Amino acid sequence: AQSVTQLGSHVSVSEGALVLLRCNYSSSVPPYLFWYVQYPNQGLQLLLKYTSAATLVKGINGFEAEFKKSETSFHLTKPSAHMSDAAEYFCAVSGATSYDKVIFGPGTSLSVIP
Amino acid sequence: DSGVTQTPKHLITATGQRVTLRCSPRSGDLSVYWYQQSLDQGLQFLIHYYNGEERAKGNILERFSAQQFPDLHSELNLSSLELGDSALYFCASSPLYQETQYFGPGTRLLVL
């Protein structure tokens, strides 16, 4: 069965500092991996996705993530945090077929300190 | 604006009642997904429909049911409501499946 863990339910960084949000997954099949962001009182928005192409995936708003099969990880990074990055971030995993469920991690709340 | 619409935005009802949540996917998207988000359970996948057919089920209670109509809009029916069903219900759509999902703004359900 697929599962997702996100280390740290809450992360605080200073404005301009590196953002690192951790995601580990378990999957019996080659996974599709996603990072979504949720701003207060809004729906989720895709940041980036991995679908077995390049292992380093670039997304919107300066975020990127690296797929490491040996570590079963898909950590999200951004070189310099901005106040507008404060939000809830969700990692998700799915298989490649329409019969596969999409499993979301518990989420990490990111705070950016001025 | 993701292009996915959900109605109503807010719903207040009583225990034991039945409600219907509606989702209109982006134009041309064949897949519709339903999720429940609550403080204690987090974001839970409920069900996925692709071109009118149920494709995957997650943690969906037997009191809940869904369907996707020929025009591709979807409805989530919640019956015999309990206090614990209070949550934010999201619908998402994608062109095919296992691609980028575009989320609607959600329906906030409060069961009193």
Side-chain angles (χ1 to χ4, degrees):
Chain A
Q2 294 171 325
S3 66
V4 178
T5 56
Q6 292 183 239
L7 186 62
S9 60
H10 187 89
V11 171
S12 291
V13 299
S14 298
E15 190 174 16
L18 171 72
V19 175
L20 171 61
L21 303 182
R22 300 178 187 275
C23 172
N24 288 88
Y25 69 91
S26 67
S27 176
S28 57
V29 298
Y32 283 13
L33 293 159
F34 307 83
W35 274 101
Y36 285 86
V37 61
Q38 184 179 28
Y39 297 104
N41 299 315
Q42 294 186 27
L44 280 73
Q45 177 185 6
L46 181 75
L47 280 177
L48 49 81
K49 63 180 178 181
Y50 167 78
T51 57
S52 74
T55 57
L56 183 61
V57 182
K58 294 188 183 297
I60 63 171
N61 301 339
F63 284 95
E64 63 181 37
E66 186 173 7
F67 172 67
K68 291 187 177 180
K69 185 178 180 180
S70 60
E71 299 177 7
T72 60
S73 69
F74 190 58
H75 301 330
L76 182 71
T77 60
K78 181 175 180 178
S80 177
H82 191 271
M83 296 298 293
S84 61
D85 294 327
E88 189 86 15
Y89 292 80
F90 294 91
C91 181
V93 63
S94 75
T97 78
S98 64
Y99 298 95
D100 290 307
K101 303 174 187 179
V102 181
I103 308 298
F104 279 79
T108 296
S109 177
L110 175 67
S111 297
V112 181
I113 305 166
Chain B
D1 184 1
S2 66
V4 177
T5 60
Q6 290 186 248
T7 56
K9 289 187 178 179
H10 302 277
L11 197 49
I12 302 175
T13 188
T15 55
Q17 295 298 305
R18 171 190 168 97
V19 297
T20 297
L21 312 184
R22 181 186 171 100
C23 170
S24 294
R26 296 187 324 152
S27 177
D29 282 1
L30 297 179
S31 274
V32 170
Y33 304 80
W34 285 98
Y35 297 90
Q36 179 193 60
Q37 186 176 36
S38 61
L39 285 176
D40 55 343
Q41 298 281 344
L43 190 61
Q44 299 284 320
F45 166 71
L46 294 178
I47 199 163
H48 168 214
Y49 276 85
Y50 174 72
N51 202 20
E53 292 184 7
E54 180 187 306
R55 288 299 178 104
K57 263 187 176 180
N59 300 321
I60 187 166
L61 300 171
E62 287 191 9
R63 300 184 285 108
F64 296 0
S65 64
Q67 59 185 129
Q68 186 179 28
F69 295 87
D71 67 352
L72 300 178
H73 90 272
S74 178
E75 292 181 355
L76 179 67
N77 299 296
L78 316 177
S79 62
S80 302
L81 285 168
E82 302 176 358
L83 296 178
D85 298 328
S86 296
L88 193 52
Y89 291 84
F90 285 110
C91 161
S93 74
S94 65
L96 294 176
Y97 48 83
Q98 312 310 27
E99 301 171 291
T100 302
Q101 294 185 28
Y102 297 87
F103 280 74
T107 292
R108 188 172 295 278
L109 174 67
L110 180 60
V111 182
L112 300 176

Coordinates of all heavy atoms in Angstrom, one line a residue, chain B residues 17-68:
Chain B
Q17 N -29.5 14.4 8.8 CA -30.0 14.9 7.5 C -29.1 14.4 6.4 O -28.1 13.7 6.6 CB -30.0 16.4 7.5 CG -30.9 17.0 8.5 CD -32.4 16.7 8.2 OE1 -32.8 16.9 7.1 NE2 -33.1 16.1 9.1
R18 N -29.6 14.7 5.2 CA -28.9 14.3 4.0 C -28.6 15.6 3.1 O -29.5 16.5 3.1 CB -29.7 13.4 3.1 CG -29.2 13.1 1.7 CD -30.3 12.3 0.9 NE -30.0 12.2 -0.5 CZ -29.4 11.2 -1.0 NH1 -29.0 10.1 -0.3 NH2 -29.1 11.2 -2.3
V19 N -27.4 15.7 2.6 CA -27.0 16.8 1.7 C -26.4 16.3 0.5 O -25.9 15.2 0.4 CB -26.1 17.8 2.5 CG1 -26.7 18.4 3.7 CG2 -24.8 17.1 2.8
T20 N -26.4 17.2 -0.5 CA -25.8 16.9 -1.8 C -24.8 18.1 -2.2 O -25.2 19.2 -2.2 CB -26.8 16.8 -2.9 OG1 -27.6 15.6 -2.6 CG2 -26.1 16.5 -4.3
L21 N -23.6 17.7 -2.4 CA -22.6 18.7 -2.8 C -22.3 18.5 -4.3 O -22.2 17.4 -4.8 CB -21.3 18.5 -2.1 CG -21.4 18.3 -0.5 CD1 -20.0 18.2 0.1 CD2 -22.1 19.4 0.1
R22 N -22.2 19.6 -5.0 CA -22.1 19.6 -6.4 C -20.7 20.1 -6.9 O -20.2 21.1 -6.3 CB -23.2 20.4 -7.1 CG -23.2 20.4 -8.6 CD -24.2 21.3 -9.2 NE -24.0 21.5 -10.6 CZ -24.8 20.9 -11.5 NH1 -25.7 20.0 -11.1 NH2 -24.6 21.1 -12.8
C23 N -20.2 19.5 -7.9 CA -18.9 19.9 -8.5 C -19.0 20.0 -10.0 O -19.4 19.0 -10.7 CB -17.8 18.9 -8.1 SG -16.3 19.1 -8.9
S24 N -18.5 21.1 -10.6 CA -18.4 21.2 -12.0 C -16.9 21.3 -12.4 O -16.2 22.2 -12.0 CB -19.1 22.4 -12.5 OG -20.5 22.3 -12.4
P25 N -16.4 20.3 -13.1 CA -15.0 20.2 -13.4 C -14.6 21.3 -14.4 O -15.5 21.9 -15.0 CB -14.8 18.8 -13.9 CG -16.1 18.5 -14.5 CD -17.1 19.1 -13.7
R26 N -13.3 21.5 -14.7 CA -12.9 22.3 -15.7 C -13.4 21.8 -17.1 O -13.5 20.5 -17.2 CB -11.4 22.4 -15.8 CG -10.7 23.0 -14.6 CD -9.2 23.1 -14.8 NE -8.6 22.0 -15.6 CZ -7.6 22.1 -16.4 NH1 -6.9 23.3 -16.5 NH2 -7.1 21.1 -17.1
S27 N -13.6 22.6 -18.0 CA -14.1 22.2 -19.3 C -13.2 21.2 -19.9 O -11.9 21.4 -20.0 CB -14.2 23.4 -20.2 OG -14.6 23.0 -21.5
G28 N -13.7 20.0 -20.3 CA -12.9 19.0 -21.0 C -12.3 18.0 -20.0 O -11.8 16.9 -20.5
D29 N -12.2 18.3 -18.7 CA -11.6 17.3 -17.8 C -12.6 16.1 -17.6 O -13.7 16.3 -17.3 CB -11.3 18.0 -16.4 CG -10.1 18.9 -16.5 OD1 -9.5 19.0 -17.6 OD2 -9.8 19.4 -15.4
L30 N -12.0 14.9 -17.7 CA -12.8 13.7 -17.6 C -12.8 13.1 -16.2 O -13.7 12.4 -15.8 CB -12.2 12.7 -18.5 CG -12.3 13.0 -20.0 CD1 -11.7 11.9 -20.9 CD2 -13.7 13.3 -20.5
S31 N -11.8 13.5 -15.4 CA -11.7 12.9 -14.0 C -12.2 13.9 -13.0 O -11.9 15.1 -13.1 CB -10.2 12.6 -13.7 OG -9.9 11.3 -14.1
V32 N -12.9 13.4 -12.0 CA -13.3 14.2 -10.8 C -12.9 13.4 -9.6 O -13.2 12.2 -9.5 CB -14.8 14.4 -10.8 CG1 -15.3 15.0 -9.5 CG2 -15.2 15.4 -12.0
Y33 N -12.3 14.1 -8.6 CA -11.9 13.5 -7.4 C -12.6 14.2 -6.3 O -12.8 15.4 -6.3 CB -10.4 13.6 -7.2 CG -9.5 13.1 -8.3 CD1 -9.3 13.8 -9.4 CD2 -8.9 11.9 -8.1 CE1 -8.5 13.3 -10.4 CE2 -8.1 11.4 -9.1 CZ -7.9 12.1 -10.3 OH -7.1 11.6 -11.3
W34 N -13.0 13.5 -5.2 CA -13.6 14.1 -4.0 C -12.6 13.9 -2.8 O -12.1 12.7 -2.6 CB -14.9 13.6 -3.7 CG -16.0 14.1 -4.6 CD1 -16.5 13.4 -5.7 CD2 -16.7 15.3 -4.5 NE1 -17.5 14.2 -6.3 CE2 -17.7 15.4 -5.5 CE3 -16.7 16.4 -3.6 CZ2 -18.5 16.4 -5.7 CZ3 -17.5 17.4 -3.7 CH2 -18.5 17.5 -4.8
Y35 N -12.5 14.9 -2.0 CA -11.7 14.8 -0.8 C -12.4 15.4 0.4 O -13.2 16.3 0.2 CB -10.3 15.6 -1.0 CG -9.4 15.1 -2.0 CD1 -9.5 15.5 -3.4 CD2 -8.5 14.1 -1.8 CE1 -8.7 15.1 -4.3 CE2 -7.6 13.7 -2.7 CZ -7.8 14.1 -4.0 OH -6.9 13.7 -5.0
Q36 N -12.1 14.9 1.6 CA -12.6 15.5 2.8 C -11.4 16.0 3.6 O -10.4 15.3 3.8 CB -13.3 14.4 3.6 CG -13.8 14.9 5.0 CD -14.3 13.7 5.8 OE1 -13.4 12.9 6.2 NE2 -15.5 13.7 6.2
Q37 N -11.5 17.3 4.1 CA -10.4 17.8 4.9 C -10.9 18.2 6.2 O -11.8 19.1 6.3 CB -9.7 19.0 4.2 CG -8.5 19.5 4.9 CD -7.8 20.6 4.2 OE1 -8.4 21.5 3.6 NE2 -6.5 20.7 4.3
S38 N -10.4 17.7 7.3 CA -10.8 18.0 8.6 C -9.5 18.2 9.5 O -8.4 17.6 9.1 CB -11.7 17.0 9.2 OG -11.1 15.7 9.3
L39 N -9.6 18.8 10.6 CA -8.5 19.0 11.5 C -7.9 17.7 12.0 O -6.7 17.6 12.1 CB -8.8 20.0 12.6 CG -9.0 21.4 12.3 CD1 -9.5 22.2 13.5 CD2 -7.7 22.0 11.7
D40 N -8.8 16.8 12.4 CA -8.2 15.6 13.0 C -7.8 14.5 11.9 O -6.9 13.7 12.2 CB -9.3 15.0 14.0 CG -10.6 14.8 13.3 OD1 -10.9 15.4 12.2 OD2 -11.4 14.1 13.9
Q41 N -8.5 14.5 10.8 CA -8.2 13.5 9.8 C -7.2 14.0 8.7 O -6.7 13.2 7.9 CB -9.5 13.0 9.1 CG -10.4 12.3 10.1 CD -10.0 10.9 10.4 OE1 -9.2 10.3 9.7 NE2 -10.5 10.4 11.5
G42 N -7.0 15.3 8.6 CA -6.2 15.8 7.5 C -7.0 15.7 6.2 O -8.2 15.7 6.1
L43 N -6.3 15.6 5.1 CA -6.9 15.5 3.7 C -7.0 14.0 3.3 O -6.1 13.3 3.2 CB -6.0 16.2 2.7 CG -6.5 16.5 1.3 CD1 -7.8 17.4 1.4 CD2 -5.5 17.2 0.5
Q44 N -8.3 13.6 3.2 CA -8.6 12.2 2.9 C -9.2 12.1 1.5 O -10.2 12.8 1.2 CB -9.6 11.7 3.9 CG -9.1 11.7 5.4 CD -8.1 10.6 5.6 OE1 -8.2 9.5 5.2 NE2 -7.0 10.9 6.4
F45 N -8.6 11.2 0.7 CA -9.2 10.9 -0.6 C -10.5 10.1 -0.4 O -10.5 9.1 0.3 CB -8.1 10.1 -1.4 CG -8.7 9.5 -2.7 CD1 -9.1 10.2 -3.8 CD2 -8.8 8.1 -2.7 CE1 -9.5 9.6 -4.9 CE2 -9.3 7.5 -3.9 CZ -9.7 8.2 -5.0
L46 N -11.5 10.5 -1.1 CA -12.8 9.8 -0.9 C -13.1 8.9 -2.2 O -13.3 7.7 -2.0 CB -14.0 10.8 -0.8 CG -14.0 11.6 0.5 CD1 -15.2 12.6 0.5 CD2 -14.0 10.7 1.7
I47 N -13.1 9.5 -3.4 CA -13.5 8.7 -4.5 C -13.0 9.4 -5.8 O -12.9 10.6 -5.8 CB -15.0 8.5 -4.5 CG1 -15.4 7.3 -5.4 CG2 -15.7 9.7 -4.8 CD1 -16.8 6.8 -5.1
H48 N -12.8 8.6 -6.8 CA -12.4 9.1 -8.1 C -13.3 8.6 -9.2 O -13.6 7.4 -9.3 CB -10.9 8.7 -8.4 CG -10.5 8.9 -9.8 ND1 -9.6 8.1 -10.5 CD2 -10.8 9.9 -10.8 CE1 -9.4 8.5 -11.7 NE2 -10.1 9.6 -11.9
Y49 N -13.8 9.5 -10.0 CA -14.6 9.1 -11.2 C -13.9 9.5 -12.5 O -13.3 10.6 -12.5 CB -16.0 9.8 -11.2 CG -17.0 9.0 -10.4 CD1 -17.1 9.2 -9.0 CD2 -17.9 8.0 -10.9 CE1 -18.0 8.4 -8.2 CE2 -18.8 7.3 -10.2 CZ -18.8 7.5 -8.8 OH -19.7 6.8 -8.1
Y50 N -13.9 8.6 -13.5 CA -13.3 9.0 -14.7 C -14.4 8.7 -15.8 O -14.8 7.6 -16.0 CB -12.1 8.1 -15.0 CG -11.5 8.3 -16.3 CD1 -10.8 9.4 -16.7 CD2 -11.6 7.2 -17.3 CE1 -10.2 9.6 -17.9 CE2 -11.0 7.4 -18.5 CZ -10.3 8.5 -18.9 OH -9.8 8.7 -20.1
N51 N -14.7 9.8 -16.5 CA -15.7 9.7 -17.6 C -16.9 8.9 -17.2 O -17.4 8.1 -18.0 CB -15.0 9.0 -18.8 CG -15.7 9.4 -20.1 OD1 -16.4 10.4 -20.2 ND2 -15.5 8.6 -21.1
G52 N -17.5 9.2 -16.1 CA -18.7 8.6 -15.6 C -18.6 7.3 -14.8 O -19.5 6.8 -14.3
E53 N -17.4 6.7 -14.8 CA -17.2 5.4 -14.1 C -16.4 5.6 -12.8 O -15.4 6.3 -12.8 CB -16.4 4.5 -15.0 CG -17.2 4.0 -16.2 CD -16.4 3.0 -17.0 OE1 -15.3 2.5 -16.5 OE2 -16.8 2.6 -18.1
E54 N -16.8 4.9 -11.8 CA -16.0 4.9 -10.6 C -14.7 4.2 -10.8 O -14.7 3.0 -11.3 CB -16.8 4.3 -9.4 CG -16.1 4.2 -8.1 CD -16.8 3.4 -7.1 OE1 -18.0 3.7 -6.9 OE2 -16.2 2.4 -6.5
R55 N -13.6 4.8 -10.4 CA -12.3 4.2 -10.7 C -11.5 3.8 -9.4 O -10.8 2.8 -9.4 CB -11.4 5.1 -11.5 CG -11.8 5.2 -13.0 CD -11.8 3.8 -13.6 NE -12.2 3.9 -15.0 CZ -11.4 3.8 -16.1 NH1 -10.1 3.8 -15.9 NH2 -11.9 3.8 -17.3
A56 N -11.6 4.6 -8.4 CA -10.9 4.3 -7.1 C -11.7 4.8 -5.9 O -12.3 5.9 -6.0 CB -9.5 4.9 -7.1
K57 N -11.7 4.1 -4.9 CA -12.3 4.5 -3.6 C -11.3 4.6 -2.5 O -10.4 3.7 -2.4 CB -13.4 3.4 -3.2 CG -14.8 3.7 -3.6 CD -15.7 2.7 -3.0 CE -17.2 3.1 -3.4 NZ -18.1 2.1 -2.8
G58 N -11.4 5.6 -1.7 CA -10.6 5.8 -0.6 C -11.4 5.6 0.7 O -12.1 4.6 0.8
N59 N -11.2 6.5 1.6 CA -11.8 6.3 2.9 C -13.3 6.9 2.9 O -13.6 7.7 3.7 CB -11.0 7.0 4.0 CG -9.6 6.5 4.1 OD1 -9.4 5.3 4.0 ND2 -8.6 7.3 4.3
I60 N -14.1 6.4 2.0 CA -15.4 6.9 1.9 C -16.4 6.0 2.7 O -16.4 4.8 2.6 CB -15.9 7.0 0.4 CG1 -17.2 7.7 0.3 CG2 -15.8 5.7 -0.3 CD1 -17.5 8.2 -1.1
L61 N -17.2 6.6 3.6 CA -18.1 5.9 4.4 C -19.3 5.4 3.5 O -19.6 5.9 2.5 CB -18.7 6.8 5.5 CG -17.6 7.4 6.5 CD1 -18.3 8.5 7.3 CD2 -17.0 6.4 7.3
E62 N -19.9 4.3 4.1 CA -21.0 3.7 3.3 C -22.2 4.7 3.3 O -23.0 4.6 2.4 CB -21.5 2.4 4.0 CG -20.5 1.3 3.7 CD -21.1 0.0 4.2 OE1 -22.3 -0.1 4.5 OE2 -20.4 -1.0 4.2
R63 N -22.3 5.7 4.2 CA -23.3 6.7 4.2 C -23.1 7.7 3.1 O -24.0 8.5 2.8 CB -23.3 7.4 5.5 CG -23.6 6.5 6.7 CD -23.7 7.3 8.0 NE -22.4 7.8 8.5 CZ -22.0 9.0 8.5 NH1 -22.7 10.0 7.9 NH2 -20.8 9.4 9.0
F64 N -21.9 7.7 2.5 CA -21.6 8.6 1.4 C -21.7 7.9 0.1 O -21.3 6.8 0.0 CB -20.2 9.2 1.6 CG -20.0 10.0 2.9 CD1 -21.0 10.2 3.8 CD2 -18.8 10.6 3.2 CE1 -20.9 11.0 4.9 CE2 -18.6 11.4 4.3 CZ -19.6 11.6 5.2
S65 N -22.1 8.7 -0.9 CA -22.1 8.1 -2.3 C -21.8 9.2 -3.2 O -22.0 10.4 -2.9 CB -23.4 7.4 -2.6 OG -24.5 8.4 -2.6
A66 N -21.4 8.9 -4.4 CA -21.1 9.9 -5.4 C -21.4 9.4 -6.8 O -21.6 8.2 -7.0 CB -19.6 10.3 -5.4
Q67 N -21.6 10.3 -7.7 CA -21.7 9.9 -9.1 C -21.3 11.0 -10.0 O -21.2 12.1 -9.6 CB -23.2 9.5 -9.4 CG -24.2 10.6 -9.2 CD -25.6 10.1 -9.4 OE1 -26.5 10.3 -8.5 NE2 -25.9 9.5 -10.5
Q68 N -20.9 10.6 -11.2 CA -20.5 11.6 -12.3 C -21.5 11.4 -13.4 O -21.7 10.3 -13.9 CB -19.1 11.3 -12.7 CG -18.6 12.4 -13.7 CD -17.2 12.2 -14.2 OE1 -16.7 11.0 -14.2 NE2 -16.5 13.2 -14.5

